[in-house]
Structures are given as structure tokens and as C-alpha cells.
Amino acid sequence: MRRGRHQEPAGDRDSGLADETEGFLLAHAHHEQARREAQDLCARMPWLTTAQAEDLTGHYIRRRLDVTRDLLLTTAHRADQLRQEYEARYAGLRRALLKRHTAGICAVLVCAGGTSALAHLLTR
């Protein structure tokens, strides 16, 4: 069966699914870690009622996940900035290298042409 124009190749689909699964597992791990931290905090405050402990746990988990999300977004934004900077620098270096190689080839061709012309004049 042939793939249509709008279908993703199997490798891209698998990679996307793997990335999505990894993201889900990472988010779940962060949530569980936040829940454990909140429970540890509540355990150190034995005077809290069950409702207060649940309320504190919920607030702690939300705040902790917000902080984690902000850190991850900041890191991803900085990684994107660095990628753009490196790509721009790489493109500039590639252009400079191409110019130098072009100049070198031109110099070799000029020298070869001059040598050929000189040899032709001397053999006359």
C-alpha cells in the first residue's frame, strides 16, 4: 500500500509517539515527586486536619509543577536561542570557507594559466 501525500512516514510517527510517551512519563514522574514532597511536608505538620493536608498537598503539587514547567520552558527557549546562534555562526564560517577556497582555486588557475602562457612563449 502506498502512502498518501499527507501521511507521515512510519519513522516520523514512531519518533513522535516515542517523544510523546517520554513526555508523559516525565510529567508523571514530576507529579509523583511533587506528591511525595507534599506528603513529607504534611507529615512534618501533624496538627493539620485531613482536609487541610489535602488542600496543602494540592497547592504544593500545582505550584511545584508550575515551577518545573517554567524551568523546562526556559531551558527549551535557551536551547533554541543557542541553536540559532550556532547555526548562524556555522553558516558564516561556511561562507568564509567557501570564499577562501574559491579565491585559492582562482589563484591556482591564474598561476597555471600564466605558467602555461609563459611556457608557450618560451617554446616559440
Side-chain angles (χ1 to χ4, degrees):
M1 184 172 129
R2 292 184 56 172
R3 284 190 207 106
R5 284 181 107 178
H6 301 294
Q7 290 180 339
E8 294 178 12
D12 291 344
R13 248 190 330 235
D14 292 343
S15 176
L17 180 61
D19 290 345
E20 191 173 328
T21 303
E22 181 182 12
F24 173 79
L25 292 174
L26 183 61
H28 183 71
H30 281 288
H31 188 273
E32 285 301 309
Q33 178 66 30
R35 186 184 55 75
R36 282 191 300 273
E37 290 173 7
Q39 288 174 343
D40 289 344
L41 177 64
C42 290
R44 285 185 259 144
M45 295 186 247
W47 61 87
L48 293 176
T49 65
T50 303
Q52 289 172 328
E54 288 174 359
D55 190 40
L56 180 61
T57 299
H59 285 293
Y60 183 89
I61 290 171
R62 282 189 297 278
R63 182 64 185 134
R64 175 74 157 55
L65 293 178
D66 288 343
V67 168
T68 300
R69 185 180 303 109
D70 290 344
L71 287 172
L72 289 173
L73 290 173
T74 301
T75 301
H77 179 69
R78 182 63 181 143
D80 188 45
Q81 285 178 333
L82 288 173
R83 181 185 53 78
Q84 290 174 3
E85 289 174 17
Y86 286 131
E87 284 177 354
R89 180 70 177 142
Y90 178 75
L93 290 171
R94 191 173 50 201
R95 277 190 301 275
L97 185 62
L98 180 62
K99 288 177 185 177
R100 289 180 188 150
H101 276 70
T102 303
I105 290 170
C106 288
V108 167
L109 290 175
V110 166
C111 288
T115 304
S116 175
L118 182 61
H120 180 32
L121 287 176
L122 291 177
T123 56
R124 273 186 166 193

